């Protein structure tokens, strides 16, 4: 059984947040499973400066530490441009590590972000609470039972939030493009099923978004995890959708929505590094947990949505994975603990687009029902 070493205070806070979710929704959540579940399902083990999942590296720069994730083929293909060389061989990491060692952390991150790579400098992001602003009109207190959730997110943090809302009684619709579905569909099914079982699968073309707009206009909760501009330019941002009283719109990003940070790409391991959530001292750093910014953000986000609904909704909630990691990084770090947990067997998630007819019927029914 896989065991992840995490600061005891990190696990303690996650357990407190899970208890908050239970208090708000009546649904029990095991924080240990949330944090260690993927590693337990897939056999991921801590590898020091190599992430548990294997796609990220924590590397010493001239003046600190940097992290880079190469989980997508396009990112690997970008490495020669990053290093300003023609080729790097089958294994790009030795060349990347040598390049990083000769440069400052800011030089590494500036060039990486210019090329759209998920890169981070250790501790560059301060702790910050969710950014919450009014969005439409609040209603009376509501729980999640029977509410319609449009889940446009992918990978881990957003889908985890949607999974927790589904467990609490919401009808969750997972929205994907047939041309570019959630990348975790191409990975181990055990993880995809764990995150997405129980959701309805709605496959639609994001470049012709009228059907998605209809879903968002009827949804009580919207979850997104793309860079905001990607949805806004398609008319799928919160300002473009017809108002619905009490709606909660959750926006999960890697580094926030302000200025250049809105365009920075992130995955769970490099976002954790950005927030300073790593093991060790300046002389020797290693990754903490397994892409730990993802499960921590997904859990925190589910609580924020449930809490907002308990106040009547009408809110736009913005959460940065790096800022969530920084919040946990600020906790006492002296004691560490083994976190060992594997999720129970999961049902199979719906095949891509299997529930399109059901979702379209839901949209039609919600259109004629009172808000």
């Amino acid at each position: 059984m896989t065991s992840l070493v995490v600061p005891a205070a990190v696990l303690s806070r996650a357990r407190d947040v899970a208890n908050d979710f239970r208090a708000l929704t009546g649904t029990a959540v095991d924080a240990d499973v949330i944090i260690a579940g993927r590693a337990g399902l897939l056999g991921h083990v801590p590898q020091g400066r190599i992430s548990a999942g294997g796609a990220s590296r924590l590397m010493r720069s001239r003046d600190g530490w940097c992290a880079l994730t190469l989980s997508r083929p396009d990112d690997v293909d970008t490495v020669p441009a990053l290093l300003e060389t023609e080729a790097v061989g089958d294994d790009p990491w030795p060349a990347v590590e040598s390049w990083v060692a000769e440069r400052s952390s800011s030089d590494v991150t500036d060039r990486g972000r210019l090329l759209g790579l998920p890169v981070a400098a250790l501790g560059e992001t301060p702790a910050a609470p969710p950014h919450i602003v009014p969005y439409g009109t609040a209603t009376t207190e509501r729980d999640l039972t029977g509410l319609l959730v449009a889940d446009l997110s992918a990978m881990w943090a957003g889908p985890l939030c949607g999974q927790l809302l589904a467990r609490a009684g919401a009808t969750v619709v997972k929205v994907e493009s047939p041309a570019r579905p959630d990348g975790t569909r191409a990975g181990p099914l055990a993880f995809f099923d764990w995150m997405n079982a129980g959701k309805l699968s709605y496959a639609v073309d994001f470049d012709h978004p009228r059907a998605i707009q209809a879903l968002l206009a009827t949804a009580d909760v919207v979850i997104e995890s793309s860079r905001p501009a990607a949805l806004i330019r398609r008319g799928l941002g919160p300002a473009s959708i017809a108002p619905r009283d009490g709606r909660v719109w959750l926006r999960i990003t890697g580094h926030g929505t302000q200025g250049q940070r809105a365009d920075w790409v992130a995955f769970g391991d490099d976002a954790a590094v950005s927030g300073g959530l790593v093991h060790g001292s300046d002389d020797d750093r290693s990754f903490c947990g397994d892409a730990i910014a993802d499960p921590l953000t997904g859990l925190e986000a589910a609580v924020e949505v449930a809490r907002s609904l308990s106040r009547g909704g009408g809110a736009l909630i913005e959460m940065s994975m790096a800022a969530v990691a920084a919040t946990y990084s600020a906790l006492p770090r002296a004691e560490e603990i083994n976190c060992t947990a594997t999720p129970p067997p999961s049902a199979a998630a719906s095949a891509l687009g299997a529930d399109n007819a059901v979702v379209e019927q839901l949209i039609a029914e919600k259109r004629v029902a009172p808000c």
Side-chain angles (χ1 to χ4, degrees):
M1 182 176 290
T2 301
S3 179
L4 299 178
V5 177
V6 298
V10 168
L11 188 56
S12 177
R13 173 178 169 125
R15 289 169 175 169
D16 288 343
V17 175
N19 288 336
D20 288 343
F21 188 75
R22 181 173 185 171
L24 287 162
T25 67
T27 303
V29 175
D30 188 331
D32 296 49
V33 171
I34 295 295
I35 291 173
R38 188 178 79 158
L41 280 174
L42 306 184
H44 289 174
V45 295
Q47 304 177 72
R49 297 180 192 176
I50 302 174
S51 64
S56 304
R57 297 291 191 277
L58 185 55
M59 299 168 285
R60 192 190 295 270
S61 69
R62 199 174 62 207
D63 59 354
W65 294 86
C66 294
L68 173 67
T69 301
L70 299 177
S71 63
R72 303 171 296 184
D74 287 350
D75 293 334
V76 177
D77 292 342
T78 303
V79 170
L82 175 70
L83 307 187
E84 297 180 277
T85 187
E86 292 185 4
V88 295
D90 294 336
D91 181 3
W93 287 112
V96 171
E97 290 176 354
S98 296
W99 181 84
V100 169
E102 297 172 354
R103 286 160 176 79
S104 68
S105 294
S106 61
D107 286 343
V108 172
T109 54
D110 286 349
R111 181 154 183 81
R113 286 164 178 156
L114 180 66
L115 296 169
L117 290 170
V119 62
L122 178 62
E124 65 185 344
T125 299
H131 181 61
I132 303 174
V133 296
Y135 173 57
T137 304
T139 60
T140 57
E141 175 182 348
R142 291 186 294 170
D143 61 26
L144 283 151
T145 304
L147 296 191
L148 180 60
V149 177
D151 182 1
L152 279 66
S153 67
M155 305 306 288
W156 194 350
L160 171 59
C161 176
Q163 174 61 229
L164 296 179
L165 301 187
R167 293 185 203 174
T171 298
V172 180
V173 177
K174 183 170 181 62
V175 186
E176 298 172 83
S177 163
R180 194 172 182 178
D182 186 337
T184 57
R185 277 193 184 272
L189 281 179
F191 176 69
F192 183 82
D193 290 343
W194 180 39
M195 287 295 100
N196 296 291
K199 301 178 185 179
L200 300 173
S201 176
Y202 192 42
V204 284
D205 186 348
F206 277 62
D207 290 326
H208 298 86
R210 186 168 297 177
I212 308 175
Q213 291 169 337
L215 171 63
L216 300 185
T218 56
D220 301 291
V221 177
V222 177
I223 304 170
E224 56 156 294
S225 64
S226 304
R227 283 175 286 178
L231 292 178
I232 290 172
R233 68 170 175 260
R234 291 177 169 86
L236 299 174
S240 303
I241 303 303
R244 182 176 182 82
D245 289 351
R247 179 183 293 136
V248 176
W249 192 293
L250 172 67
R251 174 177 281 165
I252 296 175
T253 63
H255 295 275
T257 61
Q258 301 302 308
Q260 294 180 337
R261 285 179 170 264
D263 294 320
W264 293 359
V265 182
F267 289 90
D269 284 303
D270 53 86
V273 171
S274 182
L277 185 53
V278 298
H279 292 303
S281 64
D282 287 341
D283 294 330
D284 187 19
R285 297 290 191 177
S286 59
F287 284 107
C288 178
D290 176 22
I292 195 166
D294 270 306
L296 294 179
T297 302
L299 177 59
E300 295 266 354
V303 169
E304 290 297 333
V305 170
R307 184 175 290 129
S308 179
L309 289 169
S310 74
R311 297 168 178 165
L316 170 63
I317 303 170
E318 296 182 340
M319 301 190 70
S320 150
M321 291 200 300
V324 170
T327 299
Y328 279 82
S329 178
L331 300 172
R333 307 290 291 281
E335 183 184 357
E336 295 188 332
I337 189 170
N338 288 321
C339 183
T340 304
T342 301
S346 174
S350 290
L352 182 64
D355 304 305
N356 275 29
V358 175
V359 173
E360 288 162 5
Q361 180 62 34
L362 279 173
I363 294 170
E365 292 171 356
K366 291 279 280 186
R367 277 175 165 168
V368 299
C371 295

